[in-house]
Amino acid sequence: KAGVTQTPRYLIKTRGQQVTLSCSPISGHRSVSWYQQTPGQGLQFLFEYFSETQRNKGNFPGRFSGRQFSNSRSEMNVSTLELGDSALYLCASSLVYSLDIYEQYFGPGTRLTVT
Amino acid sequence: GIQVEQSPPDLILQEGANSTLRCNFSDSVNNLQWFHQNPWGQLINLFYIPSGTKQNGRLSATTVATERYSLLYISSSQTTDSGVYFCAVNGASGSARQLTFGSGTQLTVLP
């Protein structure tokens, strides 16, 4: 079974631009979670989507948004990019055993550099 | 929210040595996973272990949920074991599928 895929793998943008990142979960997984990893803040939860609905969002400004499609693929969007948005963005899909019991599998990440 | 502390933050070993990495968490958890982040940034699943003991080759893990800690053991370390090891949990009261990560242990295995 194919793993989680993320595109693009690398991206360079300038301040003020917007960016869209894509994530395809493992086949059959319907839950997709996004994380941001920076040297200063570590790995932080952005949001989770399940059945095309955002279930929760971490402590990030409204410039960070996302969506999920009916095939469970997810996109995240960052508008009006700031230098501090430079990070590794990781997507995870969840193997759900029950409502609160799950195991996450991560994609290779998208490394975003904002100049 | 739940707090996760990992120790030690850095560990340098000679090839062939054994090591123990620790993860303490501040509340009851439904989920606990150990990951290895490779040099390209991908998080590789090592163990899903909210309680009990598991082994996979040279790696093993133990979680004592009642005492709120987990241990990752690496035996006969190899240079390819180098990288950052993360512990991540989801609190028992959590409603979303979001993991809270520790700060990681940077492991360097010298030849």
Side-chain angles (χ1 to χ4, degrees):
Chain A
K1 192 181 275 191
V4 180
T5 59
Q6 290 187 247
T7 57
R9 295 292 310 281
Y10 304 92
L11 206 50
I12 300 175
K13 291 286 190 178
T14 57
R15 276 180 299 176
Q17 288 186 315
Q18 74 160 12
V19 66
T20 298
L21 311 182
S22 180
C23 170
S24 292
I26 293 171
S27 177
H29 291 189
R30 294 165 57 198
S31 169
V32 173
S33 301
W34 288 89
Y35 296 83
Q36 181 197 63
Q37 185 177 25
T38 60
Q41 299 298 318
L43 277 148
Q44 294 187 289
F45 171 78
L46 276 160
F47 27 63
E48 184 219 349
Y49 285 88
F50 180 75
S51 294
E52 302 177 62
T53 301
Q54 186 182 94
R55 296 183 71 223
N56 201 6
K57 184 175 180 180
N59 188 24
F60 282 85
R63 300 186 297 106
F64 290 81
S65 63
R67 59 178 176 168
Q68 187 179 34
F69 303 94
S70 58
N71 62 357
S72 296
R73 188 177 71 85
S74 176
E75 290 181 345
M76 66 163 283
N77 183 276
V78 188
S79 63
T80 319
L81 284 165
E82 299 177 0
L83 295 179
D85 297 332
S86 295
L88 178 66
Y89 290 88
L90 292 163
C91 165
S93 73
S94 293
L95 172 60
V96 178
Y97 300 112
S98 67
L99 183 62
D100 295 324
I101 310 296
Y102 58 90
E103 184 174 358
Q104 290 197 338
Y105 293 84
F106 283 79
T110 294
R111 193 169 295 278
L112 172 65
T113 301
V114 182
T115 62
Chain B
I2 194 166
Q3 305 297 313
V4 182
E5 293 184 0
Q6 290 187 244
S7 60
D10 297 280
L11 188 57
I12 300 175
L13 303 171
Q14 287 294 138
E15 201 168 25
N18 302 329
S19 60
T20 301
L21 282 58
R22 186 177 181 103
C23 170
N24 292 333
F25 42 95
S26 61
D27 204 347
S28 301
V29 297
N30 279 340
N31 307 279
L32 190 148
Q33 291 184 249
W34 282 97
F35 298 93
H36 175 212
Q37 188 165 40
N38 66 22
W40 298 272
Q42 181 154 13
L43 289 170
I44 308 299
N45 288 45
L46 296 177
F47 293 102
Y48 167 76
I49 187 165
S51 64
T53 298
K54 290 186 177 180
Q55 180 159 6
N56 184 4
R58 296 181 297 103
L59 302 181
S60 64
T62 294
T63 298
V64 183
T66 53
E67 297 187 22
R68 299 181 183 169
Y69 73 87
S70 183
L71 301 174
L72 177 68
Y73 305 97
I74 304 175
S75 64
S76 304
S77 57
Q78 301 175 356
T79 56
T80 52
D81 295 331
S82 296
V84 183
Y85 289 78
F86 288 101
C87 167
V89 305
N90 178 256
S93 59
S95 61
R97 297 185 184 100
Q98 63 180 85
L99 294 174
T100 299
F101 283 79
S103 299
T105 292
Q106 174 76 58
L107 175 65
T108 303
V109 181
L110 303 175

